[in-house]
Amino acid sequence: PKRALVGVGSSSMRFWSVGNRFANDFAPITTVNRGFGGSVMNDVAYFLESAVLTLEPRAVMIYEGDNDLARGISQAAIVSSLEGIIEQLHFRDSEIRVYIFSIKPSLARMSLWPSMQAVNRSYKSLADGDDRVFYVDIATAMLNDAGLPDPNLFIDDGLHLSAAGYDVWRQVVREIVVPTESPFE
């Protein structure tokens, strides 16, 4: 559907739609999930027209950065690509709201956590400068009291989310997205 809330990004976004969970987790908001596995921020930029803009979205949720850092892409390059994506979205429609998800901590990529935190700070800074851009901190809720990712939030690979992981995402993301998007439904 046109004018929906569109989710785009790597496999963490894509797998959210398994079993129609994505639509159910945002009900009554109209959603479309355009996540695609293995992607990096530049992939979202490259496919933005065909995957997102053709839908004439009213808002876009982006989850990227995890694979970027695992592939050695610099923080500056990730943030620059994100800035370009936001610019393209707002060039098409200056009212599009953009929800930038923090990079999640994961068991499989804990060695990258300091870099992920640095990128997350850049994401937050980017959002703080524009009232159409929102930073969604999914990372903090995924950490246990010791500051480590809760193993129950992941499937066996230690990278992808379990149903419990998506429960955490739903709770955090709904608190920001649903009240903001409801007037536009």
Side-chain angles (χ1 to χ4, degrees):
K2 304 281 188 196
R3 305 301 296 162
L5 168 67
V6 177
V8 66
S10 65
S11 57
S12 294
M13 182 65 73
R14 181 175 75 86
F15 289 143
W16 201 346
S17 65
V18 171
N20 209 30
R21 180 171 186 144
F22 190 75
N24 292 336
D25 282 356
F26 290 100
I29 306 299
T30 303
T31 60
V32 176
N33 188 317
R34 287 290 173 94
F36 49 106
S39 65
V40 296
M41 197 69 78
N42 277 340
D43 294 326
V44 172
Y46 183 82
F47 290 108
L48 193 64
E49 179 67 36
S50 60
V52 177
L53 291 173
T54 57
L55 297 171
E56 301 172 17
R58 69 174 188 232
V60 178
M61 297 184 301
I62 301 172
Y63 179 79
E64 284 292 359
D66 200 336
N67 293 331
D68 301 67
L69 291 171
R71 293 183 190 168
I73 298 171
S74 73
Q75 174 183 344
I78 297 165
V79 173
S80 177
S81 291
L82 177 58
E83 289 171 332
I85 291 165
I86 293 169
E87 186 177 301
Q88 283 184 291
L89 290 169
H90 288 155
F91 179 77
R92 183 63 63 89
D93 178 348
S94 64
E95 299 302 314
I96 291 176
R97 287 160 307 286
V98 181
Y99 300 91
I100 306 166
F101 289 18
S102 63
I103 302 172
K104 73 181 185 315
S106 66
L107 303 171
R109 294 184 173 162
M110 270 317 281
S111 64
L112 297 172
W113 184 231
S115 297
M116 292 173 173
Q117 290 174 303
V119 173
N120 288 343
R121 285 189 295 274
S122 293
Y123 286 176
K124 184 175 184 330
S125 179
L126 186 62
D128 287 346
D130 189 329
D131 62 1
R132 301 165 296 178
V133 181
F134 303 82
Y135 176 70
V136 182
D137 179 10
I138 49 129
T140 300
M142 296 182 70
L143 298 171
N144 63 24
D145 291 339
L148 299 171
D150 181 342
N152 295 319
L153 304 182
F154 300 91
I155 61 173
D156 291 343
D157 67 3
L159 178 63
H160 296 99
L161 297 174
S162 65
Y166 284 114
D167 288 345
V168 170
W169 278 32
R170 179 191 64 232
Q171 179 180 349
V172 172
V173 178
R174 275 190 68 89
E175 286 179 9
I176 296 168
V177 172
V178 172
T180 306
E181 293 304 313
S182 289
F184 302 96
E185 186 61 28

